[in-house]
Short mmCIF file of all heavy atoms in Angstrom, two decimals:
data_model
loop_
_atom_site.label_atom_id
_atom_site.label_comp_id
_atom_site.label_asym_id
_atom_site.label_seq_id
_atom_site.Cartn_x
_atom_site.Cartn_y
_atom_site.Cartn_z
N CYS A 1 161.63 20.96 76.42
CA CYS A 1 162.86 20.73 77.18
C CYS A 1 163.67 22.03 77.29
O CYS A 1 163.63 22.87 76.37
CB CYS A 1 163.72 19.67 76.49
SG CYS A 1 162.95 18.03 76.45
N PRO A 2 164.42 22.21 78.37
CA PRO A 2 165.24 23.42 78.53
C PRO A 2 166.25 23.59 77.39
O PRO A 2 166.49 24.71 76.94
CB PRO A 2 165.95 23.19 79.87
CG PRO A 2 165.09 22.22 80.61
CD PRO A 2 164.49 21.34 79.57
N LYS A 3 166.84 22.50 76.97
CA LYS A 3 167.78 22.54 75.85
C LYS A 3 167.17 21.73 74.70
O LYS A 3 166.83 20.56 74.86
CB LYS A 3 169.14 21.97 76.25
CG LYS A 3 170.18 22.02 75.15
CD LYS A 3 171.52 21.49 75.62
CE LYS A 3 172.19 22.46 76.59
NZ LYS A 3 173.59 22.03 76.89
N LEU A 4 167.04 22.36 73.54
CA LEU A 4 166.38 21.71 72.42
C LEU A 4 167.33 20.80 71.65
O LEU A 4 168.54 21.05 71.60
CB LEU A 4 165.81 22.75 71.45
CG LEU A 4 164.77 23.72 72.02
CD1 LEU A 4 164.29 24.65 70.92
CD2 LEU A 4 163.60 22.98 72.64
N PRO A 5 166.80 19.72 71.04
CA PRO A 5 167.64 18.93 70.14
C PRO A 5 168.01 19.75 68.92
O PRO A 5 167.26 20.66 68.53
CB PRO A 5 166.73 17.75 69.77
CG PRO A 5 165.34 18.26 69.96
CD PRO A 5 165.42 19.23 71.11
N THR A 6 169.13 19.44 68.33
CA THR A 6 169.50 20.12 67.09
C THR A 6 168.94 19.41 65.87
O THR A 6 168.85 19.99 64.79
CB THR A 6 171.03 20.21 66.94
OG1 THR A 6 171.57 18.88 66.84
CG2 THR A 6 171.65 20.91 68.14
N ALA A 7 168.54 18.15 66.06
CA ALA A 7 167.95 17.37 64.97
C ALA A 7 166.97 16.37 65.55
O ALA A 7 167.13 15.91 66.69
CB ALA A 7 169.03 16.64 64.16
N ILE A 8 165.94 16.04 64.78
CA ILE A 8 164.97 15.02 65.17
C ILE A 8 164.88 14.01 64.03
O ILE A 8 164.67 14.37 62.88
CB ILE A 8 163.58 15.64 65.45
CG1 ILE A 8 163.65 16.56 66.67
CG2 ILE A 8 162.54 14.55 65.67
CD1 ILE A 8 162.36 17.30 66.97
N LEU A 9 165.05 12.75 64.39
CA LEU A 9 164.93 11.65 63.44
C LEU A 9 163.63 10.90 63.76
O LEU A 9 163.43 10.45 64.89
CB LEU A 9 166.13 10.71 63.55
CG LEU A 9 166.06 9.38 62.79
CD1 LEU A 9 165.92 9.63 61.29
CD2 LEU A 9 167.30 8.54 63.08
N ALA A 10 162.77 10.78 62.79
CA ALA A 10 161.51 10.06 62.96
C ALA A 10 161.59 8.73 62.22
O ALA A 10 162.15 8.65 61.13
CB ALA A 10 160.34 10.88 62.44
N ALA A 11 161.00 7.69 62.81
CA ALA A 11 161.09 6.35 62.25
C ALA A 11 160.16 6.13 61.07
O ALA A 11 160.13 5.04 60.50
CB ALA A 11 160.82 5.29 63.32
N ASN A 12 159.38 7.13 60.68
CA ASN A 12 158.73 7.13 59.37
C ASN A 12 158.47 8.57 58.95
O ASN A 12 158.58 9.51 59.74
CB ASN A 12 157.48 6.24 59.33
CG ASN A 12 156.25 6.88 59.95
OD1 ASN A 12 156.32 7.94 60.57
ND2 ASN A 12 155.12 6.23 59.80
N ASP A 13 158.12 8.74 57.68
CA ASP A 13 157.97 10.09 57.13
C ASP A 13 156.75 10.82 57.68
O ASP A 13 156.78 12.05 57.84
CB ASP A 13 157.88 10.02 55.60
CG ASP A 13 159.20 9.65 54.95
OD1 ASP A 13 160.24 9.74 55.62
OD2 ASP A 13 159.18 9.27 53.77
N LEU A 14 155.67 10.08 57.96
CA LEU A 14 154.48 10.74 58.49
C LEU A 14 154.80 11.42 59.82
O LEU A 14 154.39 12.57 60.06
CB LEU A 14 153.34 9.74 58.68
CG LEU A 14 152.66 9.23 57.41
CD1 LEU A 14 151.61 8.18 57.75
CD2 LEU A 14 152.01 10.39 56.65
N MET A 15 155.50 10.74 60.70
CA MET A 15 155.88 11.35 61.97
C MET A 15 156.83 12.52 61.76
O MET A 15 156.77 13.53 62.48
CB MET A 15 156.49 10.31 62.90
CG MET A 15 155.53 9.21 63.33
SD MET A 15 156.16 8.13 64.64
CE MET A 15 157.58 7.38 63.84
N ALA A 16 157.72 12.41 60.77
CA ALA A 16 158.65 13.51 60.47
C ALA A 16 157.89 14.75 60.01
O ALA A 16 158.23 15.88 60.41
CB ALA A 16 159.65 13.07 59.41
N ILE A 17 156.87 14.57 59.20
CA ILE A 17 156.08 15.70 58.72
C ILE A 17 155.32 16.34 59.89
O ILE A 17 155.24 17.56 60.01
CB ILE A 17 155.12 15.24 57.60
CG1 ILE A 17 155.94 14.85 56.36
CG2 ILE A 17 154.13 16.35 57.25
CD1 ILE A 17 155.15 14.14 55.29
N GLY A 18 154.77 15.51 60.78
CA GLY A 18 154.14 16.04 61.98
C GLY A 18 155.13 16.80 62.85
O GLY A 18 154.80 17.84 63.44
N SER A 19 156.35 16.29 62.92
CA SER A 19 157.40 16.95 63.68
C SER A 19 157.72 18.33 63.12
O SER A 19 157.84 19.30 63.86
CB SER A 19 158.66 16.07 63.69
OG SER A 19 159.71 16.69 64.39
N MET A 20 157.83 18.42 61.79
CA MET A 20 158.11 19.71 61.17
C MET A 20 157.00 20.71 61.46
O MET A 20 157.26 21.89 61.73
CB MET A 20 158.31 19.54 59.66
CG MET A 20 159.58 18.81 59.29
SD MET A 20 160.10 19.05 57.56
CE MET A 20 158.73 18.30 56.69
N LYS A 21 155.77 20.23 61.45
CA LYS A 21 154.63 21.13 61.72
C LYS A 21 154.71 21.68 63.14
O LYS A 21 154.47 22.87 63.37
CB LYS A 21 153.32 20.38 61.52
CG LYS A 21 152.08 21.25 61.69
CD LYS A 21 150.81 20.48 61.38
CE LYS A 21 149.59 21.39 61.57
NZ LYS A 21 148.31 20.65 61.29
N ALA A 22 155.07 20.83 64.11
CA ALA A 22 155.18 21.28 65.50
C ALA A 22 156.30 22.30 65.66
O ALA A 22 156.15 23.31 66.37
CB ALA A 22 155.43 20.09 66.42
N ILE A 23 157.42 22.07 64.99
CA ILE A 23 158.56 22.99 65.06
C ILE A 23 158.18 24.35 64.48
O ILE A 23 158.46 25.41 65.05
CB ILE A 23 159.77 22.40 64.33
CG1 ILE A 23 160.30 21.17 65.07
CG2 ILE A 23 160.88 23.44 64.15
CD1 ILE A 23 161.29 20.35 64.28
N GLN A 24 157.51 24.32 63.33
CA GLN A 24 157.11 25.55 62.67
C GLN A 24 156.06 26.31 63.48
O GLN A 24 156.08 27.54 63.55
CB GLN A 24 156.61 25.24 61.27
CG GLN A 24 157.73 24.76 60.34
CD GLN A 24 157.22 24.03 59.11
OE1 GLN A 24 156.06 23.66 59.01
NE2 GLN A 24 158.12 23.81 58.14
N LYS A 25 155.15 25.58 64.13
CA LYS A 25 154.13 26.23 64.95
C LYS A 25 154.76 26.95 66.13
O LYS A 25 154.26 27.99 66.58
CB LYS A 25 153.11 25.22 65.43
CG LYS A 25 151.95 25.86 66.18
CD LYS A 25 150.88 24.87 66.58
CE LYS A 25 149.73 25.55 67.31
NZ LYS A 25 148.67 24.60 67.71
N LYS A 26 155.86 26.42 66.63
CA LYS A 26 156.55 27.06 67.76
C LYS A 26 157.29 28.32 67.32
O LYS A 26 157.76 29.10 68.14
CB LYS A 26 157.55 26.07 68.39
CG LYS A 26 158.23 26.57 69.66
CD LYS A 26 159.14 25.52 70.25
CE LYS A 26 159.96 26.09 71.42
NZ LYS A 26 159.09 26.47 72.55
N GLY A 27 157.37 28.55 66.02
CA GLY A 27 158.07 29.72 65.51
C GLY A 27 159.50 29.46 65.12
O GLY A 27 160.25 30.40 64.82
N CYS A 28 159.89 28.19 65.14
CA CYS A 28 161.24 27.81 64.72
C CYS A 28 161.24 27.41 63.25
O CYS A 28 160.19 27.15 62.66
CB CYS A 28 161.76 26.65 65.58
SG CYS A 28 161.89 27.04 67.33
N LYS A 29 162.42 27.34 62.68
CA LYS A 29 162.54 27.00 61.27
C LYS A 29 163.24 25.66 61.09
O LYS A 29 164.18 25.33 61.82
CB LYS A 29 163.33 28.09 60.53
CG LYS A 29 162.62 29.43 60.48
CD LYS A 29 163.45 30.45 59.69
CE LYS A 29 162.74 31.79 59.61
NZ LYS A 29 163.54 32.79 58.84
N VAL A 30 162.75 24.90 60.10
CA VAL A 30 163.40 23.66 59.67
C VAL A 30 164.06 23.95 58.32
O VAL A 30 163.39 24.40 57.39
CB VAL A 30 162.36 22.52 59.50
CG1 VAL A 30 163.03 21.24 59.01
CG2 VAL A 30 161.60 22.27 60.80
N PRO A 31 165.36 23.75 58.18
CA PRO A 31 166.30 23.15 59.13
C PRO A 31 167.16 24.16 59.89
O PRO A 31 168.09 23.76 60.58
CB PRO A 31 167.17 22.32 58.21
CG PRO A 31 167.28 23.17 56.98
CD PRO A 31 165.94 23.86 56.83
N ASP A 32 166.88 25.46 59.75
CA ASP A 32 167.78 26.47 60.32
C ASP A 32 167.93 26.30 61.83
O ASP A 32 169.05 26.44 62.37
CB ASP A 32 167.26 27.87 60.01
CG ASP A 32 167.33 28.20 58.52
OD1 ASP A 32 167.86 27.37 57.77
OD2 ASP A 32 166.86 29.27 58.13
N ASP A 33 166.82 26.03 62.52
CA ASP A 33 166.86 25.88 63.97
C ASP A 33 166.97 24.41 64.38
O ASP A 33 167.76 24.06 65.26
CB ASP A 33 165.63 26.51 64.61
CG ASP A 33 165.53 28.00 64.34
OD1 ASP A 33 166.55 28.70 64.54
OD2 ASP A 33 164.46 28.46 63.91
N ILE A 34 166.16 23.57 63.78
CA ILE A 34 166.16 22.14 64.07
C ILE A 34 166.04 21.38 62.76
O ILE A 34 165.13 21.65 61.96
CB ILE A 34 164.99 21.75 65.01
CG1 ILE A 34 165.07 22.53 66.32
CG2 ILE A 34 165.02 20.24 65.28
CD1 ILE A 34 163.90 22.27 67.26
N SER A 35 166.94 20.46 62.52
CA SER A 35 166.85 19.59 61.34
C SER A 35 165.89 18.44 61.62
O SER A 35 165.74 18.00 62.76
CB SER A 35 168.23 19.03 60.98
OG SER A 35 169.10 20.05 60.54
N VAL A 36 165.24 17.97 60.57
CA VAL A 36 164.30 16.84 60.70
C VAL A 36 164.58 15.84 59.58
O VAL A 36 164.79 16.22 58.43
CB VAL A 36 162.83 17.32 60.62
CG1 VAL A 36 161.88 16.12 60.65
CG2 VAL A 36 162.50 18.26 61.77
N MET A 37 164.57 14.57 59.95
CA MET A 37 164.82 13.51 58.98
C MET A 37 163.79 12.40 59.18
O MET A 37 163.40 12.09 60.30
CB MET A 37 166.23 12.96 59.15
CG MET A 37 166.66 12.00 58.06
SD MET A 37 168.45 11.68 58.18
CE MET A 37 168.63 10.51 56.84
N GLY A 38 163.33 11.81 58.08
CA GLY A 38 162.34 10.75 58.14
C GLY A 38 162.89 9.41 57.68
O GLY A 38 164.10 9.21 57.58
N TYR A 39 161.95 8.50 57.42
CA TYR A 39 162.30 7.15 56.97
C TYR A 39 161.13 6.61 56.17
O TYR A 39 159.99 6.70 56.60
CB TYR A 39 162.57 6.26 58.19
CG TYR A 39 163.27 4.95 57.89
CD1 TYR A 39 164.61 4.78 58.19
CD2 TYR A 39 162.58 3.88 57.31
CE1 TYR A 39 165.26 3.58 57.92
CE2 TYR A 39 163.23 2.68 57.05
CZ TYR A 39 164.56 2.53 57.35
OH TYR A 39 165.19 1.33 57.07
N ASP A 40 161.40 6.06 55.01
CA ASP A 40 160.45 5.40 54.09
C ASP A 40 160.50 6.00 52.70
O ASP A 40 160.38 5.29 51.72
CB ASP A 40 158.98 5.43 54.58
CG ASP A 40 158.71 4.43 55.69
OD1 ASP A 40 159.51 3.48 55.84
OD2 ASP A 40 157.71 4.62 56.42
#
């Protein structure tokens, strides 16, 4: 997206961990650039 979210909430922890991996692969940092939160 042209403008990135500042935080991503995943409805379970597995998806949150996958989300962190995607953010890190892009060269961004969790949580400095994008915060990530899970559930479970």
